[in-house]
Structures are given as C-alpha cells and as structure tokens.
Amino acid sequence: MRPSHRGALPTTLAALILSVLAGCSGTHHGSAVAPAAPAAAPGSPDRRPADDPATWTLPLMRYLPTDAQARTIGRARETLTRDCARRYGITLTPEPELPPLGPKNVMDWRYGIHDRGLTARRGYQVDDAQQARYDAALRARGKLPRPSPDTSVVVSGTRLPPDVLAAAGPEARKGVVAGKPVPDGGCAGEAQRTLGTATQGVSPFVARLMTASYPRSMEEPDVRRVFARWSGCMRERGFRYAAPMDANDDPAFRPGPRGVTREEIATAVADLDCRAAHRVAEVWHTAETRLQNDVVAREAATLAAERRALDRTLATARRVVEGKS
C-alpha cells in the first residue's frame, strides 16, 4: 500500500468512501485508521502542525462521519444484524477487526509521503511490521469457518452469487428460513433501513465531491507552479518526474518480491526533500481547501440536508449501541 495519484483514502471512513464510489481508489489496499480530526469552519485559519498532514482537515469533511462515528454506525449495524439473525435461530460471530495498515486517516497521505523516518526505511511502502501484522490477521480471518448457505440468505437475502444460493435449502432459496420470511436484503438490509444508511453514514453525494476536488486541485495555477518547482528540484538530483505523484506511482516502486530497493528509497528521500523545500503539501492543501469552500457555498442546502441525515443515523446508532433501541 502507498499513496496514489487519486489521494489516499484509508478505512474506516475512506474505505467507505471508496465503496460508495464503486471503483475509485486512493490506496493499493484497504487499511484501518484512527478517528479523523473535526473539520475547520469554511474560511477559518487551519491551525495545524505544518509537517503532519494527518492533522489537517478539508471543509467537506464536516459532512462525513469521522472514523469514530463510522465505527459506531458499523457496530450498530452488526448489533441489529445479529439480533435479527437470532429470530431465525442463528448466532452470528463478528469477524475480528484487522489491525491498522497504512495512512492514519483520510488526510494522512492525501498529498503524498511526509514521514521522514518511514521514507528512509521503506521508500513509498507501508511500515513492514505493520504490514506483517495485517497479513497475519488476514490469514487468520481466512481460516475462520464460512457461514452456511442458509445463514448467508438470512444475513444478505436471496440476492447472492448463484452458486451460494443454489447450495441453500429449497425454502431458503425462496427467502424463507425457520418458517419465517427473510427481510429484503436479509438482516443486513433490515439493519441498513433501521439506521437509514447503506454506507455507514457516508453520503454518496459528499463522497463524490470529496473525491472530485482532488484532481481539480492539481490543475490550480499555484499548485501547477509548485509542482514545476518540485520537478526542477528533483531534476537537479537526477530524477525526472513532472509531478509528485508521478514518483509515488512509478511502476518500478510497486510492492513486489524484490522488496524496497535502494533506488526507491533514494527517489523517495529526494521527493520528500523537494516537497519540504517548496512546501508542496501546504500549497496543494490550501488550493483544495479553497475549491471545497466554493463547493460548500454552492451546495449549501444539499449539504445541510446530508448532515441532518447523518446526524439522524448517528443518533439511531448510538441508541442501538447503548442498548436503548
């Protein structure tokens, strides 16, 4: 996993954004993240440590759940699904969460690498110990027993892959288990309707805006100028790239059996030096903030409605998690 030309968007929140957008990607693999910081009000100064983009915000983030809020909605969805399954005599065991992998939150790698210690060891790759823990947890999860076809019908309804549905019992294939009809979309669908969201609170509209501002920001005149200065700095060091994410996305540096090469580390260290010398991330973030402020003003009514919908979902989710539903 590494930052990419589309802006890093790790889970919990970012993976949800990616699933909503069905095909857009911000990292090479999914990862778990810490809660995102609250967004600054439009037009307000962004007080942040200049060297830690993980602490930065963007105006549209206020219309998305934080990672902590997305986890609350996820826990509520699991609780509702599990309670529903009990009506059919089925006890569901949640899969264990995977450990963190990659960027800390939705902003951490959005504008590229910035951690000098990690870059000097790993170039554009994630921490090796973190990757090892994640891979081990993924292997352990893969060894867990698979649910029976009838259980899959209870959880997800009858819109399953043909081979899974064909393996279910004759009544289950018709959407009936334990003599009771299965809700549309199964217990998971019922949970989504109760919470009022199929995406853990991530609005598809907001997700599209959040993603669209990233490539647009790279076309802003001040960003193009700072990219040109960065490119000149890299050329002086013997590396030819037109823009920062071109180095980051160089196919020669993709994860592979060779591991991290000296060439990758040398390139990444030079990249980081040139970013710092010309304040690339700061200029880029300022431009994207400006673009998003314009969008927030233009779409104020729709965004306010999306925020109200998110707040309703969060209120319901908290009641479920606290056992007050």
Side-chain angles (χ1 to χ4, degrees):
M1 180 200 293
R2 52 210 271 207
S4 88
H5 69 286
R6 303 187 73 127
L9 293 170
T11 58
T12 313
L13 172 60
L16 288 167
I17 292 175
L18 297 177
S19 67
V20 168
L21 293 172
C24 295
S25 68
T27 56
H28 290 298
H29 306 285
S31 65
V33 296
S44 68
D46 184 4
R47 305 184 188 283
R48 73 216 182 218
D51 61 348
D52 188 5
T55 66
W56 301 359
T57 64
L58 285 167
L60 283 168
M61 287 171 62
R62 89 183 65 185
Y63 303 101
L64 292 166
T66 65
D67 290 304
Q69 290 170 341
R71 284 194 292 271
T72 296
I73 297 170
R75 285 196 296 272
R77 183 176 183 269
E78 284 184 0
T79 298
L80 290 167
T81 302
R82 188 169 59 247
D83 290 348
C84 168
R86 286 199 190 101
R87 303 200 305 257
Y88 300 88
I90 294 172
T91 300
L92 297 178
T93 303
E95 287 186 331
E97 289 188 12
L98 294 172
L101 176 65
K104 298 173 185 175
N105 57 29
V106 73
M107 295 301 296
D108 192 13
W109 287 356
R110 190 171 181 88
Y111 308 113
I113 57 173
H114 59 85
D115 185 323
R116 189 165 294 278
L118 180 61
T119 299
R121 288 192 302 105
R122 297 285 293 163
Y124 294 104
Q125 312 301 322
V126 299
D127 179 77
D128 48 353
Q130 195 181 59
Q131 182 74 62
R133 286 192 296 271
Y134 183 88
D135 291 344
L138 201 59
R139 288 192 297 272
R141 179 185 278 194
K143 294 176 182 176
L144 295 175
R146 287 186 166 278
S148 71
D150 280 23
T151 296
S152 296
V153 170
V154 168
V155 172
S156 302
T158 56
R159 291 189 289 273
L160 292 167
D163 59 325
V164 176
L165 190 59
E171 290 300 307
R173 291 198 295 272
K174 299 174 185 176
V176 177
V177 175
K180 301 172 186 174
V182 173
D184 182 39
C187 288
E190 182 178 278
Q192 290 170 359
R193 289 187 292 276
T194 299
L195 292 169
T197 176
T199 57
Q200 290 188 207
V202 176
S203 155
F205 176 73
V206 178
R208 284 194 296 270
L209 295 179
M210 185 77 176
T211 301
S213 67
Y214 182 81
R216 284 185 59 207
S217 67
M218 289 189 280
E219 299 303 318
E220 289 292 285
D222 47 350
V223 176
R224 292 173 70 91
R225 283 192 293 270
V226 82
F227 282 5
R229 289 194 287 272
W230 173 91
S231 181
C233 175
M234 289 291 282
R235 193 161 49 249
E236 290 172 359
R237 294 162 183 251
F239 305 99
R240 293 188 173 273
Y241 296 101
M245 285 307 188
D246 293 344
N248 176 90
D249 290 347
D250 191 326
F253 306 146
R254 294 194 184 282
R258 293 188 307 160
V260 182
T261 64
R262 283 182 291 183
E263 177 191 5
E264 177 176 347
I265 290 175
T267 304
V269 168
D271 177 1
L272 197 59
D273 288 343
C274 291
R275 286 171 184 270
H278 297 287
R279 301 180 62 250
V280 170
E282 290 92 330
V283 172
W284 193 349
H285 175 250
T286 298
E288 189 171 19
T289 298
R290 183 173 61 246
L291 288 172
Q292 287 202 6
N293 276 331
D294 291 345
V295 170
V296 168
R298 188 170 63 250
E299 303 288 354
T302 303
L303 288 169
E306 296 286 5
R307 182 68 233 189
R308 288 193 296 271
L310 172 56
D311 289 340
R312 288 193 296 272
T313 291
L314 284 168
T316 302
R318 291 184 184 114
R319 287 196 298 271
V320 170
V321 169
E322 293 166 5
K324 297 176 181 178
S325 60

